[in-house]
Amino acid sequence: METNKHFLVGVFNDQDDLLHAVEHIRHKGVKIHEVYTPYPIHTLEHVLGYKRSWMPKAAFMFGALGTTCAITMQSWMLGYDWPMIIGGKSFIAIPDFVPVTFETTVLFAAFGMSFTFFVSQGLGLFKVPRIFDIRATDDKLVMAIDLGKNKLAEADIKAILSESHADEIYRKDFTDAENNPTFMGYLIDLFNNGVTVSGRKLIR
Amino acid sequence: MQVISTVREPLITGGKTIKDVTEDICKQVEGAPSKSWIAAFGLSFLLLAVGGAFLGDLFWTGIGRWGLNKTVNWAWDITNFVWWVGIGHAGTLISAVLLLFRQKWRTSINRAAEAMTIFAVFCAGSFILMHVGRTWLAYWCLPLPNTYGSLWVNFNSPLVWDVFAISTYLSVSLVFWFIGLIPDLATIRDRATGAVSRFIYGMLSLGWDGSTKSWMHYEAVSLVLAGLSTPLVLSVHTIVSMDFATSVIPGWHTTIFPPYFVAGAIFSGFAMVLTLMLVVRKVYKLEDYVTMEHIEMMNIIIIVTGSIVGIAYTTEFFIAWYSQVPYEQYAFLNRMTGPYWWAYWAMMTCNVISPQLFWFKKIRTSLMMTFVLSIVVNIGMWFERFVIIVTSLHRDYLPSSWVMFSPTLWDIMCYAFSFGLFFTFFFLFAKYFPVINMAEVKAVWKDSNPKVYKARRTISNDWIPENERVEEVVH
């Protein structure tokens, strides 16, 4: 079975050109695999038709967990496990528990959401990215169209891309190994052959 | 609805392109360390090492090495702690509060300010660990099961709140800073010319590829973190102030402390950001990114917070008189005219009078004056904490226990140690990490140029949700 992946890559210089292009290309019925940009472009996610991020919901859930844990911990420790009379206050003095509860809520929400973000986006220390164009972290806006997932012929998609003012259009093929880069493979390539994931030679 | 003013000065000057942004910032990371950097780093490291030797002796012998006595049982340790924590407020304020207020000028300074915040909180934390005396038992501050029947910490105590506040603040700030760094580390990774740097920055950037989906979640995460950090940063100094305010010591027992401490923290934090950024800007030639506009904005924040602090000082006096409590009145008169009058007047001059000079546009836009005044402000803020802590303690209820406090060499060297710690970290950061948030600067690059902005109006509004459509302001 052939597992190689074939992509058409359109490179844009300007974010407004890109927005128009995405609009035009999707209108023509071409499926866009993903757009890679060096900085966040607002409205791009709307134009690509992505659903709103669910990260705030994750933050809320983790925050609520933090609140519950903090209140339970303090009430149990000072109210049941070892009650102590402190300044004549009741054992479970809710107003005094507010600061620690607040801090714990923030701690849980922030860490929970951040880890959700890392896990859901597949970010991690040993993650090796599949890079279409090395300039996507510098100044170019890079659109990738998966040829395997589009019914239109390559030439037609190419024509649509150039209609929508892509500054560069080229074909990018990934072999099976390039498509699923492994950390060890990447390390060997990097230190033995001086090749980075994008296939670029390190300049020595 | 997002409103973009067309009369604002451009945020990035010098006709920089997006490519230039990458070049200008990455150049500093990629080049070999300069001689001046090695000298500055060496000096900070020396300070850290010498201070560390004194610190080792302090741990070995005990905090009797400090000039504390029976009456003044908190002095430089807590002064330094509060001072560093205060400085550590600007970073989160700049990146979180200004993000919520959509202040785009923050993009050029937030990275360095956040880094500074984290290092300042390290320094503050080191004083907390020092002042407990038996530092190796500092974990007793945490609610951990123990062999005393599990005797828990007292959650009614502001000191325990402080443990939670400072540790949460430090860890959340670290996460916020690191998430902000990921896209920029990916930029450096993709430009790396050596296998080792490619490998290290590759690991640190967590495999970031800049896909729109990741950016969308990334933006949401940043916004929520900003929303969480804003009350967090306010709560931290509020709780620090409660260490004093919930006691019954005249001079500490005032309800004005939380807002007054928070304003003071922002005040000193911005001053420290200015001190550092003016140097970084000069050395790294970042005049087009940190423009006069940025400096002026920060100076305006310094006037505002400096004035709030000034009003707080006056209010304290008024309330002392108005309360008709003789102990309270004496505490405040003693501050102003007692044996520590010089500390009080140093605080008043540096914190209340000197920032008022920024009302003059000439001074506000002068680099030299800004640099000098930013240091003056931080000297003043150190004296503020010294005045609050030492002058309130040194006159006890019994005149027979009235004393003066004088610092020993160990007091001074522990303070020097914290400077060594701070600058060692800061210089490492300034060399090996991008000092300006490239991704965010690139994102505001277009908005910062009015002519290009006009062209942007051609985007079909149908794709933009109603509440996010851009409208022009008519002035």
Side-chain angles (χ1 to χ4, degrees):
Chain A
M1 199 184 95
E2 212 214 356
T3 48
N4 290 359
K5 287 264 194 180
H6 309 289
F7 289 92
L8 258 191
V9 176
V11 180
F12 294 81
N13 284 319
D14 184 275
Q15 63 191 72
D16 293 331
D17 284 350
L18 174 77
L19 288 169
H20 285 297
V22 172
E23 208 173 323
H24 180 72
I25 291 165
R26 289 192 76 214
H27 186 70
K28 290 274 181 183
V30 177
K31 269 193 202 141
I32 295 171
H33 172 68
E34 184 56 289
V35 180
Y36 300 88
T37 58
Y39 52 91
I41 298 174
H42 292 268
T43 69
L44 183 58
E45 69 270 24
H46 301 300
V47 185
L48 281 167
Y50 292 158
K51 273 193 212 132
R52 224 182 135 92
S53 171
W54 47 274
M55 290 296 153
K57 285 177 194 153
F60 178 80
M61 303 293 263
F62 280 106
L65 181 69
T67 314
T68 319
C69 285
I71 292 178
T72 316
M73 175 183 76
Q74 295 174 87
S75 314
W76 177 76
M77 285 176 179
L78 295 190
Y80 297 99
D81 193 50
W82 189 321
M84 269 186 294
I85 297 170
I86 293 156
K89 297 186 189 87
S90 54
F91 294 135
I92 300 176
I94 293 294
D96 287 356
F97 294 171
V98 168
V100 171
T101 309
F102 170 76
E103 303 297 335
T104 316
T105 306
V106 169
L107 188 71
F108 273 54
F111 273 79
M113 175 180 59
S114 305
F115 282 107
T116 312
F117 169 63
F118 292 150
V119 172
S120 72
Q121 298 308 302
L123 299 175
L125 282 178
F126 304 112
K127 163 82 183 291
V128 184
R130 189 178 66 175
I131 293 174
F132 284 91
D133 194 312
I134 197 95
R135 296 167 298 172
T137 53
D138 182 1
D139 62 339
K140 302 287 188 211
L141 315 169
V142 176
M143 181 194 290
I145 296 170
D146 191 341
L147 291 172
K149 286 190 180 157
N150 274 296
K151 289 200 181 82
L152 285 170
E154 191 184 334
D156 297 337
I157 299 176
K158 219 170 200 166
I160 295 169
L161 260 176
S162 65
E163 260 172 47
S164 50
H165 310 293
D167 295 290
E168 277 172 54
I169 303 162
Y170 59 86
R171 191 187 151 116
K172 179 106 183 170
D173 298 317
F174 288 112
T175 63
D176 194 25
E178 285 169 337
N179 202 34
N180 303 298
T182 61
F183 187 68
M184 279 320 286
Y186 150 73
L187 269 191
I188 291 163
D189 244 13
L190 183 67
F191 284 98
N192 281 354
N193 314 327
V195 179
T196 69
V197 261
S198 59
R200 177 177 68 99
K201 280 263 183 208
L202 285 168
I203 309 148
R204 300 234 172 156
Chain B
M1 187 184 72
Q2 197 183 352
V3 178
I4 297 168
S5 165
T6 50
V7 294
R8 266 272 160 84
E9 290 289 312
L11 292 171
I12 305 142
T13 54
K16 297 281 180 189
T17 62
I18 290 184
K19 181 96 188 152
D20 291 337
V21 176
T22 317
E23 287 291 333
D24 288 348
I25 313 299
C26 289
K27 201 165 65 190
Q28 313 300 342
V29 180
E30 289 159 356
S34 67
K35 282 208 179 84
S36 54
W37 182 85
I38 294 172
F41 178 75
L43 202 67
S44 328
F45 195 74
L46 187 72
L47 203 57
L48 180 72
V50 176
F54 276 85
L55 195 62
D57 180 62
L58 184 88
F59 286 152
W60 190 258
T61 316
I63 50 172
R65 285 289 197 208
W66 283 338
L68 301 176
N69 50 51
K70 189 181 122 306
T71 310
V72 182
N73 41 28
W74 267 3
W76 276 38
D77 47 353
I78 300 299
T79 303
N80 296 340
F81 158 68
V82 181
W83 189 70
W84 278 118
V85 164
I87 288 173
H89 274 51
T92 313
L93 190 100
I94 289 172
S95 40
V97 181
L98 299 186
L99 175 71
L100 293 183
F101 284 123
R102 302 277 184 227
Q103 294 294 306
K104 289 187 173 167
W105 58 273
R106 92 203 144 77
T107 55
S108 300
I109 51 169
N110 62 356
R111 168 70 44 74
E114 279 172 46
M116 182 213 78
T117 286
I118 291 163
F119 308 144
V121 179
F122 283 164
C123 294
S126 74
F127 281 104
I128 288 293
L129 295 178
M130 280 178 225
H131 101 296
V132 295
R134 284 180 282 171
T135 304
W136 52 96
L137 297 179
Y139 69 91
W140 282 10
C141 299
L142 301 171
L144 297 169
N146 52 63
T147 50
Y148 303 103
S150 276
L151 175 62
W152 304 108
V153 295
N154 177 11
F155 287 107
N156 300 286
S157 162
L159 295 174
V160 170
W161 303 346
D162 219 9
V163 171
F164 278 82
I166 302 287
S167 45
T168 301
Y169 183 58
L170 178 62
S171 37
V172 172
S173 306
L174 260 176
V175 167
F176 199 10
W177 180 65
F178 180 67
I179 287 188
L181 268 169
I182 293 171
D184 284 0
L185 292 173
T187 304
I188 298 176
R189 168 199 71 197
D190 287 348
R191 286 168 53 94
T193 50
V196 176
S197 58
R198 174 68 183 67
F199 172 67
I200 292 172
Y201 288 110
M203 291 271 268
L204 288 177
S205 61
L206 306 182
W208 177 262
D209 59 1
S211 68
T212 309
K213 201 159 244 169
S214 295
W215 272 121
M216 178 181 77
H217 291 304
Y218 174 93
E219 288 282 281
V221 166
S222 303
L223 192 65
V224 174
L225 277 180
L228 289 169
S229 303
T230 305
L232 178 66
V233 70
L234 301 181
S235 82
V236 172
H237 228 57
T238 299
I239 291 173
V240 168
S241 79
M242 283 174 180
D243 292 345
F244 304 102
T246 56
S247 72
V248 287
I249 310 285
W252 288 2
H253 188 61
T254 52
T255 47
I256 200 179
F257 263 23
Y260 152 33
F261 267 49
V262 170
I266 297 167
F267 182 54
S268 64
F270 267 82
M272 190 58 126
V273 172
L274 272 172
T275 313
L276 296 175
M277 282 318 276
L278 285 174
V279 177
V280 169
R281 169 185 196 265
K282 178 88 187 159
V283 174
Y284 285 177
K285 298 184 182 63
L286 298 174
E287 283 88 350
D288 286 325
Y289 299 95
V290 183
T291 61
M292 206 33 105
E293 171 96 354
H294 290 97
I295 292 167
E296 204 182 336
M297 290 294 217
M298 285 195 273
N299 282 338
I300 290 171
I301 290 181
I302 285 186
I303 309 178
V304 173
T305 48
S307 307
I308 295 175
V309 168
I311 289 170
Y313 295 160
T314 336
T315 310
E316 274 188 324
F317 266 85
F318 171 74
I319 294 296
W321 166 77
Y322 191 65
S323 71
Q324 289 295 307
V325 179
Y327 302 102
E328 189 81 9
Q329 289 174 347
Y330 173 74
F332 282 93
L333 283 177
N334 179 49
R335 264 184 202 179
M336 198 193 275
T337 57
Y340 282 113
W341 63 271
W342 47 271
Y344 180 83
W345 288 106
M347 159 187 112
M348 274 309 225
T349 318
C350 298
N351 284 356
V352 184
I353 300 163
S354 72
Q356 300 303 324
L357 291 173
F358 282 139
W359 285 104
F360 300 103
K361 193 166 172 106
K362 264 235 167 71
I363 294 179
R364 187 159 84 218
T365 52
S366 148
L367 291 179
M368 206 51 223
M369 282 307 285
T370 306
F371 186 70
V372 170
L373 283 176
S374 70
I375 292 172
V376 166
V377 163
N378 263 323
I379 295 173
M381 285 309 289
W382 191 87
F383 274 113
E384 180 202 291
R385 278 66 182 254
F386 181 79
V387 164
I388 291 173
I389 293 165
V390 174
T391 66
S392 305
L393 286 174
H394 86 128
R395 288 288 178 255
D396 206 347
Y397 293 101
L398 280 176
S400 59
S401 37
W402 286 8
V403 286
M404 294 293 283
F405 168 81
S406 46
T408 61
L409 186 60
W410 279 264
D411 280 294
I412 297 164
M413 289 315 288
C414 286
Y415 190 38
F417 165 83
S418 69
F419 273 99
L421 186 69
F422 181 80
F423 283 107
T424 302
F425 275 115
F426 192 80
F427 284 125
L428 281 177
F429 156 76
K431 179 67 197 77
Y432 294 106
F433 287 89
V435 285
I436 284 183
N437 192 332
M438 290 185 277
E440 287 199 355
V441 167
K442 287 171 189 174
V444 298
W445 174 77
K446 238 183 165 175
D447 295 330
S448 76
N449 187 335
K451 271 187 197 139
V452 187
Y453 166 70
K454 286 243 162 60
R456 293 198 65 182
R457 308 270 300 149
T458 58
I459 312 170
S460 124
N461 255 345
D462 304 339
W463 287 104
I464 308 169
E466 193 113 8
N467 55 346
E468 284 172 33
R469 284 180 195 167
V470 176
E471 304 230 343
E472 220 168 321
V473 198
V474 182
H475 290 275

